[in-house]
Amino acid sequence: MTWARSFLNLISHTWFLNIIQDNFMDGKINLENTVETLKKFELPFNYTHVKHVFKKIIDKRKEHMINIEDFRAIYRAIVHRPEFLELFHAYAENSKTLAHGQLIEFLKKEQYETEECETTALGIILKYEPIQEVRKRSQLSFEGFIRYMASEECSVFKSHHRTVYQDMNYPLCDYFISSSHNTYLISDQLIGPSHLWGYSSALLKGCRCLEIDCWDGPNNEPVVYHGHTLTSKIPFRSVIQVIEKYAFEVSDYPVVLSLENHCSPQQQEVMADYLESILGEKLLTSTFGEERVTQLPSPEALKFKILIKNKKVGTVEESTLRRDLDSHGETGEVSESENVSDDDDSDDSATLCPQRGSSKRKGEGTHSAPPRKKAKVKKVKIALALSDLVIYTKSEKFVSFEHSQNHQKCYENNSIGEVRAQKFAKHSARDFVLHTSKFITRIYPKGTRATSSNYNPQVFWNVGCQMVALNFQTPGVQMELQNGKFLDNGGCGYILKPEFLRNRGSSFTPHDVGRYSKPMSLSIKLISGHQLPPSNLSKTNKADPLVQIEIYGVPEDQTKKKSGVIKSNALSPRWDETFSFTIQVPELALIRFCVEDEISLFSNEFLGQYTLPVLSLNKGSESINLVIIFTGYRNVPLLDKHGTSLKPASLFVHIWYY
């Protein structure tokens, strides 16, 4: 055993020297060369942390240079994580390598791998072991173990869910659909710029419903901007060209263009011409041949298709009869009491319902929303050329749940302002759930959100709203929830709703889950952090990090737990704290890990976060739930406020659920 240990020490030492020796031809190297040498190991590192460790080593030296032993110390400080070493030593008898059998034991006991463990173990060795001599022995050194534990295979997010795995053959109304509000804006709602980047950026994030505000422009060219404001204008034609280019870059599933149409019939015809000529075969221009539309098609049936959501004259069946006729120059009329602007919602300037636990005056907040004033009836002209491009997504003014149940067709959908929708979710949740089980419902921010702030989308996902439209340009918790939810199912922009939000006989309400509760106990041990982003207020890598673990879901599941603060350590903070959660409706739950720097007792600075769904419905069987979160030892990759990876910044956790 001693001989074997000495041999393993020798080959490990030789491997290390072979990688770096050419960089030490002159005996010593500076900081820049240290960084270049570290890159040879093909491991991610944060320059700020390397610089800090380098400066600690050369402190009080006259020259700012290091030798090989100094470099080894830097490498170990950055790469050789103590928490990984503890795990490794628990299974490596000789303390130097994991034999094939020991790795299998680790995978079964700690990572809860039960299927094809022998093959999995060999795959890990071949993929992650960097030392050839160890790899030939079918063993895993600590260097290989580090690489495996920090890999995507040990991510908290299940790799299987990085691809489309859900059944995509249900009707469109059975899916949550990633949706953007005022997609053309990249700043505020009043004076900020409109830009084509808003569309390309949203599509590259997997967004499947884009909003286009269309107004008459000069020279018979429609323009896109936020009407009656000082926001800049962009040509409608250019918007459609960008959409055509990026529509299916990250997802094959249908894109819905929600037109906020304020154009004259003449410029509506121009819009129709551009949609047909630019989008070509991608544009859906007819039904799938059914004589009468009684059910929406599925995302699978609509792959690589772009749908137009707009006001429509008459029914889909009537426009089908006109399909081969030249309708240019012809118009129809719709009544604005039935079809008005999506943003014409008088509740948008109303005060939000008081939050749970907030003080109220006597009698306030205890009754249903007051009846809305009857809309003034007037006729507006719609160009038939544009109207006939609306197939399965006809915009229909929401009147009431009862009216929709009695009169609304399956291809007619509603847009409801956030304030009015919040009142429905609070006072009429069961009716709301029944409505969204049948009809696509879009929620949009209230008009007073001049800074492009966002509402909490979870409230509306809880009642099954499909298109919960957010301002994608505005970072914050709301967009982190959006990005986390749609991380699932391959990031394709469509998430199959839970069965109780699709079943038209469901009595589910998020305020009283009753028989729909499937309690899940979740235990998370927060072990450590690794190369966390340094505080913006620190000139070194110092930060006082803490972690908040939050659950978003139905009201009963909403909770937040906070770790202790680790002083002056962003490189390798160690917590070893365990948090327990009971989740009543895991199908709707999201979990958010948020790392902050404690600035004072009253304020923290955001450092990074990661949000993901807790559960996902299994493909093919609605009675089985698959947990997206992996059990065992997992790394939690951190993202910045814009959703960009902060690699190698991460948390290390142990997760167990039952």
Side-chain angles (χ1 to χ4, degrees):
M1 184 65 70
T2 304
W3 177 87
R5 188 176 300 172
S6 298
F7 175 72
L8 290 168
N9 276 333
L10 176 62
I11 59 174
S12 177
H13 183 70
T14 303
W15 167 81
F16 188 82
L17 287 180
N18 285 342
I19 291 175
I20 69 171
Q21 60 186 1
D22 288 348
N23 294 64
F24 282 90
M25 297 296 288
D26 296 328
K28 293 185 178 181
I29 59 174
N30 59 17
L31 175 60
E32 285 68 30
N33 287 333
T34 298
V35 169
E36 291 303 312
T37 307
L38 280 172
K39 289 179 181 178
K40 288 187 170 186
F41 290 89
E42 299 180 346
L43 289 169
F45 59 86
N46 182 307
Y47 174 81
T48 304
H49 287 299
V50 174
K51 181 180 178 181
H52 179 70
V53 176
F54 183 92
K55 285 189 172 182
K56 281 181 69 176
I57 286 178
I58 64 168
D59 188 36
K60 298 179 181 179
R61 292 184 186 176
K62 291 183 179 180
E63 60 174 1
H64 293 177
M65 306 282 280
I66 61 168
N67 58 31
I68 283 183
E69 287 308 309
D70 294 331
F71 179 83
R72 190 189 298 273
I74 292 173
Y75 178 82
R76 285 174 174 166
I78 299 294
V79 177
H80 284 196
R81 299 166 61 174
E83 62 273 33
F84 286 1
L85 192 60
E86 292 163 17
L87 262 181
F88 183 79
H89 282 165
Y91 287 87
E93 288 182 4
N94 61 18
S95 299
K96 293 300 176 182
T97 63
L98 282 174
H100 182 236
Q102 293 167 338
L103 179 55
I104 290 173
E105 184 184 8
F106 169 78
L107 293 174
K108 286 182 176 179
K109 287 186 177 180
E110 305 293 355
Q111 304 299 75
Y112 304 99
E113 296 276 1
T114 56
E115 297 179 3
E116 300 181 351
C117 263
E118 289 192 18
T119 304
T120 300
L122 282 174
I124 289 170
I125 291 167
L126 290 172
K127 186 173 182 179
Y128 297 107
E129 178 52 56
I131 304 173
Q132 187 176 4
E133 290 82 355
V134 177
R135 193 165 60 244
K136 285 179 178 178
R137 291 167 166 250
S138 295
Q139 295 177 343
L140 194 70
S141 69
F142 183 50
E143 293 291 342
F145 187 75
I146 290 166
R147 286 155 175 77
Y148 165 64
M149 293 303 295
S151 73
E152 274 196 0
E153 288 187 44
C154 287
S155 171
V156 71
F157 186 73
K158 204 169 187 177
S159 57
H160 170 60
H161 294 263
R162 298 181 189 277
T163 58
V164 175
Y165 68 93
Q166 294 179 343
D167 190 338
M168 303 301 285
N169 291 292
Y170 288 90
L172 276 181
C173 58
D174 284 351
Y175 296 83
F176 295 117
I177 303 171
S178 179
S179 303
S180 164
H181 172 252
N182 287 357
T183 316
Y184 50 89
L185 292 178
I186 59 172
S187 184
D188 65 78
Q189 304 281 313
L190 298 178
I191 61 174
S194 303
H195 203 283
L196 296 173
W197 177 84
Y199 290 97
S200 59
S201 173
L203 287 167
L204 292 174
K205 290 177 181 176
C207 183
R208 298 288 89 187
C209 179
L210 310 172
E211 186 174 22
I212 310 176
D213 281 17
C214 312
W215 298 79
D216 281 355
N219 304 316
N220 206 33
E221 287 285 344
V223 294
V224 175
Y225 83 113
H226 199 196
H228 310 300
T229 69
L230 298 177
T231 56
S232 60
K233 302 173 183 179
I234 50 179
F236 177 81
R237 175 180 56 184
S238 299
V239 169
I240 303 306
Q241 288 171 335
V242 167
I243 291 170
E244 190 279 331
K245 181 177 180 180
Y246 291 99
F248 304 108
E249 284 288 302
V250 300
S251 173
D252 298 346
Y253 292 97
V255 172
V256 178
L257 304 186
S258 182
L259 302 184
E260 189 65 40
N261 179 16
H262 304 276
C263 289
S264 63
Q266 292 79 10
Q267 295 210 15
Q268 289 178 39
E269 288 205 347
V270 175
M271 291 166 56
D273 286 341
Y274 284 144
L275 288 167
E276 291 190 274
S277 63
I278 295 171
L279 299 180
E281 291 296 315
K282 294 176 183 175
L283 181 66
L284 186 74
T285 57
S286 65
T287 63
F288 288 104
E290 60 267 55
E291 290 184 8
R292 183 166 169 265
V293 179
T294 57
Q295 178 176 286
L296 289 174
S298 68
E300 189 67 29
L302 291 167
K303 274 176 121 175
F304 301 109
K305 288 297 182 182
I306 296 175
L307 285 68
I308 305 302
K309 178 181 175 295
N310 189 42
K311 305 165 191 175
K312 183 175 182 65
V313 178
T315 66
V316 170
E317 292 81 8
E318 290 169 350
S319 62
T320 299
L321 294 175
R322 289 193 301 264
R323 191 170 61 201
D324 297 326
L325 302 176
D326 183 6
S327 59
H328 279 273
E330 296 185 38
T331 63
E333 290 186 332
V334 294
S335 171
E336 271 212 336
S337 62
E338 297 172 0
N339 290 285
V340 297
S341 164
D342 283 354
D343 284 341
D344 185 12
D345 192 325
S346 60
D347 279 340
D348 272 6
S349 58
T351 304
L352 284 169
C353 295
Q355 297 295 313
R356 183 173 57 186
S358 63
S359 62
K360 302 176 186 174
R361 294 181 183 177
K362 187 176 180 180
E364 286 183 348
T366 59
H367 51 77
S368 298
R372 290 160 60 79
K373 293 179 181 179
K374 190 173 182 180
K376 190 175 181 180
V377 177
K378 69 173 184 177
K379 301 289 186 178
V380 294
K381 289 186 176 181
I382 305 294
L384 290 186
L386 182 61
S387 172
D388 289 350
L389 296 181
V390 178
I391 309 300
Y392 294 116
T393 44
K394 176 185 177 182
S395 296
E396 187 71 22
K397 181 66 178 178
F398 179 80
V399 177
S400 69
F401 292 129
E402 183 181 8
H403 181 274
S404 293
Q405 293 298 324
N406 293 332
H407 302 288
Q408 194 162 319
K409 296 178 175 61
C410 68
Y411 58 81
E412 294 175 335
N413 47 74
N414 312 117
S415 289
I416 307 175
E418 67 166 284
V419 176
R420 192 181 185 197
Q422 282 174 334
K423 292 176 182 177
F424 289 149
K426 182 175 182 180
H427 300 291
S428 309
R430 190 161 293 175
D431 290 333
F432 211 163
V433 170
L434 177 60
H435 180 83
T436 59
S437 72
K438 293 183 177 182
F439 309 113
I440 292 177
T441 303
R442 175 178 170 269
I443 309 299
Y444 59 89
K446 59 185 177 181
T448 53
R449 291 187 180 275
T451 60
S452 298
S453 60
N454 282 310
Y455 52 76
N456 178 6
Q458 188 68 48
V459 174
F460 306 113
W461 291 328
N462 286 346
V463 289
C465 295
Q466 294 86 349
M467 296 178 173
V468 181
L470 297 181
N471 293 303
F472 271 44
Q473 73 272 32
T474 306
V477 175
Q478 298 84 1
M479 273 306 298
E480 289 161 8
L481 297 178
Q482 157 78 21
N483 293 337
K485 186 173 189 68
F486 288 98
L487 186 67
D488 192 15
N489 204 29
C492 75
Y494 285 83
I495 305 293
L496 186 64
K497 296 198 294 183
E499 191 273 340
F500 55 76
L501 292 178
R502 295 183 277 123
N503 183 349
R504 295 177 186 180
S506 172
S507 59
F508 174 81
T509 165
H511 307 293
D512 182 14
V513 298
R515 63 188 177 90
Y516 297 98
S517 173
K518 297 177 182 176
M520 166 185 171
S521 294
L522 178 65
S523 176
I524 300 176
K525 182 179 181 181
L526 173 65
I527 300 170
S528 63
H530 179 60
Q531 298 194 61
L532 302 181
S535 168
N536 290 326
L537 303 178
S538 173
K539 292 182 179 179
T540 66
N541 76 330
K542 290 183 179 179
D544 298 337
L546 61 93
V547 178
Q548 294 193 120
I549 303 176
E550 305 162 358
I551 304 293
Y552 291 84
V554 298
E556 191 175 350
D557 288 338
Q558 296 276 150
T559 189
K560 178 190 296 185
K561 298 191 178 182
K562 185 163 65 173
S563 76
V565 178
I566 305 299
K567 293 292 185 181
S568 301
N569 188 350
L571 174 61
S572 54
R574 188 77 181 258
W575 285 280
D576 289 319
E577 294 183 48
T578 300
F579 305 92
S580 297
F581 303 89
T582 299
I583 303 171
Q584 298 299 323
V585 188
E587 296 94 332
L588 288 171
L590 297 170
I591 184 167
R592 178 175 181 261
F593 298 85
C594 182
V595 184
E596 298 178 338
D597 176 26
E598 186 181 66
I599 304 300
S600 69
L601 290 174
F602 307 104
S603 66
N604 299 328
E605 179 195 356
F606 173 88
L607 295 180
Q609 69 83 36
Y610 191 72
T611 304
L612 70 159
V614 172
L615 293 180
S616 176
L617 293 177
N618 188 19
K619 184 176 181 180
S621 175
E622 298 184 351
S623 64
I624 300 174
N625 285 318
L626 281 183
V627 176
I628 287 181
I629 296 176
F630 263 145
T631 49
Y633 289 98
R634 304 294 163 189
N635 63 73
V636 181
L638 295 178
L639 310 175
D640 69 11
K641 64 179 182 179
H642 299 291
T644 304
S645 172
L646 289 168
K647 194 174 183 179
S650 62
L651 300 175
F652 187 53
V653 298
H654 182 272
I655 291 180
W656 173 253
Y657 67 91
Y658 53 93

